[in-house]
Amino acid sequence: MTQKPDWVPGGVDITVPHAARIYDYALGGDHHFEVDREFWERAKGLMPGAEVLARANRAFLGRSIRWLAAAGITQFLDIGSGIPTIGNVHEVAQEADPEAKVMYVDIDPIAVEQSRSLLRGNPRARVIEGDLREPDSILYHPDVLDLLDFARPVAVLTVAVWHFVPDTAKPAEIVSKIGDALVKGSYLVVSHLGPDTTPAGLEEQARVVKLYENTPTPATIRSAAEVAALIGPGFDILDPGVTAVTDWFPDPEDADDPPTPTGLGAVARKR
Ligand SMILES: C[S@@+](CC[C@H](N)C(=O)[O-])C[C@H]1O[C@@H](n2cnc3c(N)ncnc32)[C@H](O)[C@@H]1O
């Protein structure tokens, strides 16, 4: 039986794989267990592009923050932020503007604890535990309201998290509530596990989705049109639209990366 290290908060079950730890392992981080590593190795076996996709998603996150910073955004609310690893949002945002403020939110207590310990001494970045399916508990959380000024534009980052929100949780209504809390000129960043259009690719993805059924956060795949519908009428989806994450303003050094049609990304501006 796996021994719980002292960095695991009470109540965390380390005998079932968890999205945050699986992704941390995929990106080469340090906070995962045997079940998470086994899950990822099986997922890679089923979907050989999975590793490229995880890195491409993280690169998309970094590019979107730099793009937003260049557009004048200084406040970020990162929901489903994950376990801190390479290229964390506050590092990228505060490199662009040392005054930038970042609020992290994750459902996973390990992600929250690790973020808290990393952010000690950084007055402009904080973390809370929260559930995207209950957006009001995030948007009106005292720590969020203390750090972020919603009278000014805020970028809400929801990167590689919507596929953990099933249709029964009404994701479009969640986005609409987020939009209601934002002033015009705010942004929403989305990335999502999307369908491969080849029959073999669809089969691979269906198998990976099945694997996630045995985790606390089962996964749902959505097409580009479904992701656009999820973003809804409160936001304008900016060019180049809902696209493969690798096609969203790729950096010249990423130009040789293999395309990852299974990971969709978009940046939208609040109307
Ligand atoms: C694949 S990771 C993405 C991390 C980061 N956003 C990135 O793209 O690099 C997904 C994260 O979403 C979190 N998550 C899943 N469901 C969530 C929910 N309902 N509310 C908040 N976070 C959630 C998981 O714990 C995990 O840390």
Side-chain angles (χ1 to χ4, degrees), residues 18-20 23 57-58 61 80-82 106-108 130-133 159-161 164 217:
H18 193 287
Y23 186 65
N57 176 69
R58 194 73 183 174
L61 172 63
S81 48
D106 203 280
I107 201 170
D108 175 46
D131 186 339
L132 177 58
R133 292 167 298 180
V159 177
V161 63
F164 299 124
T217 52

Side-chain angles (χ1 to χ4, degrees), residues 46-49 194-207 221 223 259-263:
L46 296 173
M47 196 169 104
D196 191 313
T197 44
T198 65
L202 282 173
E203 203 158 303
E204 279 176 4
Q205 289 192 337
R207 288 203 205 110
I221 284 178
S223 66
T260 53
T262 54

Side-chain angles (χ1 to χ4, degrees), residues 212-247:
Y212 270 105
E213 276 174 11
N214 302 322
T215 74
T217 52
T220 304
I221 284 178
R222 295 189 177 94
S223 66
E226 286 168 330
V227 171
L230 183 154
I231 293 170
F235 291 86
D236 287 316
I237 299 174
L238 305 180
D239 284 343
V242 180
T243 180
V245 284
T246 38
D247 288 343

Side-chain angles (χ1 to χ4, degrees), residues 18-24 27 54 57-61 78-83 85-87 89 105-109 111 129-134 138 157-165 191 212 216-217:
H18 193 287
R21 303 188 314 244
I22 296 165
Y23 186 65
D24 182 64
L27 292 176
N57 176 69
R58 194 73 183 174
F60 163 76
L61 172 63
D78 182 7
I79 308 178
S81 48
I83 296 172
T85 175
I86 43 156
V89 170
V105 183
D106 203 280
I107 201 170
D108 175 46
E129 191 172 321
D131 186 339
L132 177 58
R133 292 167 298 180
E134 292 162 17
I138 296 172
L157 313 177
T158 52
V159 177
V161 63
W162 287 110
H163 43 249
F164 299 124
V165 178
S191 82
Y212 270 105
T217 52

